[in-house]
């Protein structure tokens, strides 16, 4: 939804001067709905499984909620469900900003740092073997 929804592309174009083709609105809506269903299923499975529930921390639940909010508020703003469009858009933007603030301090940061850490650990482990 972030990269291929037409209103988001217009925002990137206004902010950075770059643009690209958008996907169909229906494709973006279906992908957002599937992501919402997947996050809710993940939350339910985590709550129902005693082992996962014991291992889960507050941060895990916060990440799920913060990931879910932009999707839900974006759909609500698109279809003007639950109030004035400007209010819904403001709530959507605030939910995205909350996710961006929490991103570097939660496990979400692993989405970007995994490649760097794999390279670093591989390089360090390479020095511990037999020399050639």
């Amino acid at each position: 939804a972030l990269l291929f929804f037409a209103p988001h592309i217009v925002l990137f174009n206004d902010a950075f001067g770059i643009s690209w083709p958008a996907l169909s609105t229906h494709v973006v809506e279906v992908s957002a709905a599937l992501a919402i269903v997947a996050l809710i299923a993940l939350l339910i499975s985590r709550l129902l499984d005693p082992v996962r529930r014991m291992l889960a921390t507050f941060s895990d639940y916060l990440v799920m909620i913060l990931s879910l909010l932009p999707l839900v508020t974006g759909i609500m703003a698109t279809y003007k469900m639950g109030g004035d469009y400007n209010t819904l858009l403001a709530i959507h933007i605030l939910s995205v900003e909350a996710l961006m603030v929490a991103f570097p301090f939660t496990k979400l940061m692993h989405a970007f740092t995994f490649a760097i850490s794999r390279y670093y650990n591989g390089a360090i482990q390479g020095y511990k073997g037999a020399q050639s």
Side-chain angles (χ1 to χ4, degrees), residues 15-111:
F16 305 113
I18 57 172
S19 181
W20 56 90
L23 284 177
S24 166
T25 303
H26 298 297
V27 173
V28 174
E29 290 169 355
V30 167
S31 65
L34 288 174
I36 290 170
V37 169
L39 280 167
I40 291 172
L42 178 65
L43 179 63
I44 290 171
S45 71
R46 187 161 291 190
L47 290 172
L48 293 180
D49 185 18
V51 175
R52 289 185 195 157
R53 187 175 56 236
M54 185 177 66
L55 292 175
T57 63
F58 173 77
S59 175
D60 296 329
Y61 293 112
L62 179 67
V63 163
M64 279 191 271
I65 297 300
L66 288 176
S67 299
L68 187 64
L69 278 176
L71 295 167
V72 172
T73 58
I75 289 175
M76 289 176 67
T78 300
Y79 288 109
K80 300 172 186 73
M81 298 176 352
D84 177 43
Y85 174 74
N86 290 330
T87 305
L88 292 171
L89 186 61
I91 293 170
H92 175 62
I93 291 170
L94 286 173
S95 68
V96 172
E97 289 176 352
L99 178 64
M100 290 175 15
V101 166
F103 193 92
F105 305 109
T106 61
K107 294 176 184 176
L108 288 173
M109 192 62 183
H110 293 293

